[in-house]
Amino acid sequence: MLFIYCYDGVEDKFPHYLSRLWEQPVLMLDISGEDFSLFRGTNSSDVYRRYDEFEASWVTPAPLRSHSVTLQPFTKSCIGVATRQKYKVTFHVVLVDFVRLACLIAGIILFFSAGPLSRNVIFYYSSGITIGVLASLLIILFVASRFIPKKIGAYSVLIGGTSVILYFFQFLWKNIQSVLQEYQTYVIAYIVSAAAISFAVCYKKGPVTDVKTLSLIQWSMQLVALVGVYCGTQVEEASIVILALVVGMNMIPSLPCASFMKRVWRRRFPPKVRLLTEEEYRKQGEEETRKALQQLRGYCQSPSCSPWRTVSRLQTPTKSVQASSSQISQASGIMHLSSR
């Protein structure tokens, strides 16, 4: 038996709907067990069509099964409930969807910090380990599929299609807590092993140093951040305006608001100063000494230099000349040895 519940949405116009940027209508279904199916549509006819398609054919995508369904706040949307059990439906409106708000804030922060993060060593290892742990699941599935006969695998994909895959992930997500509790030792062993292998691979490869690769990583992170900003509000126009402001502030750093935000960001998160190595310190000392000696020779050979006037200003000319001569000779000797 199918019952349909529709929400007409709010028809506020600009600028009144700006107060509903993070508003979220929610339909709650109080029912025992999992013997029910939900069908989403833009109107009643669309819901009936999806229900008829599901009843007529068994090779269809798995229906929605959830006790909490979100609805569109500004457009009409309908939910069909198909079940033979008794249930209770409640409707309420969440004034602030903190998930969307957090998505917007995280997207803006990630967009402006993509450059430093792409060159951060800690971020390199942490992201590499995370990707390694998640990607190893695909490797396990690929290896397991090699042991399945080709005919059986082909028939299972042909018959089940996406329904089997969606049902598997839905079942895994709903029972993830019980899986973690029952197989806690195996899950921890898998995560530690995959993390250790991923860390070893990242350590062997080393952080990315190629400028073009770093730029690609930064642009990819900024693209993900823009997607998060776009999904951060319920109003599409507001999301587009925020996207334009974020991109404009990044492309035109001379804007007052952009420079202010960057000053606040640098004051809160100052850039890390890299210390010189011993070899770099020695080379920089030799280079600066060479420049200082050249400037001193140029000044002494210039007409503006008056040796007698300089000597007359010294209290002990003999000691000053001897000290300067010894320092210059030592510096020249060090430069001569390093050049050899």
Side-chain angles (χ1 to χ4, degrees):
M1 187 175 295
L2 179 67
F3 290 93
I4 299 177
Y5 305 90
C6 293
Y7 177 68
D8 294 332
V10 182
E11 297 182 355
D12 283 349
K13 298 181 179 180
F14 182 84
H16 300 288
Y17 61 68
L18 292 179
S19 60
R20 305 176 183 269
L21 289 178
W22 298 285
E23 187 177 282
Q24 183 64 70
V26 180
L27 183 71
M28 303 293 297
L29 182 63
D30 185 8
I31 186 173
S32 60
E34 300 292 334
D35 187 16
F36 68 94
S37 300
L38 301 179
F39 301 91
R40 185 192 296 270
T42 56
N43 50 44
S44 301
S45 301
D46 191 15
V47 174
Y48 275 117
R49 179 182 61 82
R50 296 176 184 272
Y51 175 74
D52 294 337
E53 290 178 354
F54 176 75
E55 292 291 329
S57 176
W58 54 279
V59 186
T60 54
L64 178 65
R65 288 187 176 91
S66 177
H67 294 270
S68 176
V69 183
T70 58
L71 304 174
Q72 296 295 329
F74 302 106
T75 59
K76 184 177 180 179
S77 55
C78 297
I79 297 293
V81 182
T83 183
R84 296 183 181 276
Q85 298 182 1
K86 293 183 179 180
Y87 63 92
K88 180 182 178 181
V89 173
T90 56
F91 174 81
H92 69 279
V93 177
V94 179
L95 297 179
V96 179
D97 187 0
F98 290 100
V99 175
R100 289 185 178 272
L101 181 60
C103 187
L104 175 65
I105 297 174
I108 295 175
I109 295 176
L110 179 60
F111 183 85
F112 287 104
S113 60
L117 281 179
S118 62
R119 294 163 175 81
N120 188 276
V121 178
I122 299 177
F123 178 79
Y124 165 76
Y125 282 104
S126 59
S127 60
I129 292 173
T130 304
I131 294 174
V133 171
L134 297 177
S136 57
L137 290 173
L138 301 178
I139 298 176
I140 294 174
L141 293 176
F142 175 76
V143 173
S145 65
R146 304 297 294 178
F147 294 95
I148 301 177
K150 293 184 178 180
K151 292 185 178 179
I152 298 177
Y155 288 149
S156 62
V157 174
L158 180 62
I159 293 174
T162 56
S163 301
V164 176
I165 300 175
L166 292 176
Y167 179 78
F168 172 75
F169 281 108
Q170 186 178 8
F171 176 80
L172 182 63
W173 177 256
K174 288 184 177 181
N175 298 274
I176 187 171
Q177 186 176 1
S178 61
V179 170
L180 292 177
Q181 291 178 354
E182 295 179 5
Y183 305 97
Q184 184 177 7
T185 305
Y186 297 100
V187 172
I188 293 176
Y190 162 74
I191 293 176
V192 171
S193 303
I197 296 173
S198 303
F199 177 80
V201 173
C202 294
Y203 182 77
K204 182 180 179 181
K205 297 293 183 180
V208 180
T209 56
D210 184 64
V211 178
K212 294 182 179 180
T213 305
L214 290 173
S215 299
L216 290 175
I217 295 174
Q218 178 181 350
W219 296 337
S220 301
M221 294 172 61
Q222 289 179 335
L223 181 61
V224 174
L226 292 178
V227 173
V229 172
Y230 181 78
C231 299
T233 65
Q234 292 281 14
V235 183
E236 184 177 3
E237 294 81 359
S239 299
I240 294 175
V241 171
I242 296 175
L243 284 176
L245 289 176
V246 170
V247 175
M249 290 168 61
N250 185 67
M251 296 179 62
I252 310 175
S254 59
L255 290 176
C257 54
S259 58
F260 173 75
M261 290 187 63
K262 288 188 175 182
R263 286 198 304 270
V264 172
W265 179 265
R266 290 176 180 175
R267 187 178 302 173
R268 183 65 181 84
F269 303 99
K272 186 177 180 180
V273 179
R274 189 180 68 87
L275 300 178
L276 296 177
T277 62
E278 185 177 357
E279 182 67 19
E280 292 174 342
Y281 176 76
R282 186 181 62 81
K283 290 183 178 180
Q284 185 174 359
E286 294 175 359
E287 183 66 24
E288 295 298 328
T289 303
R290 185 183 297 108
K291 291 180 181 179
L293 289 175
Q294 291 177 357
Q295 293 177 358
L296 180 59
R297 292 192 188 97
Y299 174 75
C300 292
Q301 295 174 1
S302 63
S304 59
C305 177
S306 178
W308 293 107
R309 183 182 302 173
T310 304
V311 171
S312 63
R313 294 178 180 177
L314 299 176
Q315 295 180 357
T316 56
T318 306
K319 293 183 180 180
S320 300
V321 171
Q322 290 177 355
S324 301
S325 301
S326 61
Q327 292 176 0
I328 293 175
S329 61
Q330 289 177 3
S332 301
I334 293 173
M335 294 174 58
H336 177 68
L337 290 175
S338 62
S339 62
R340 292 180 60 186

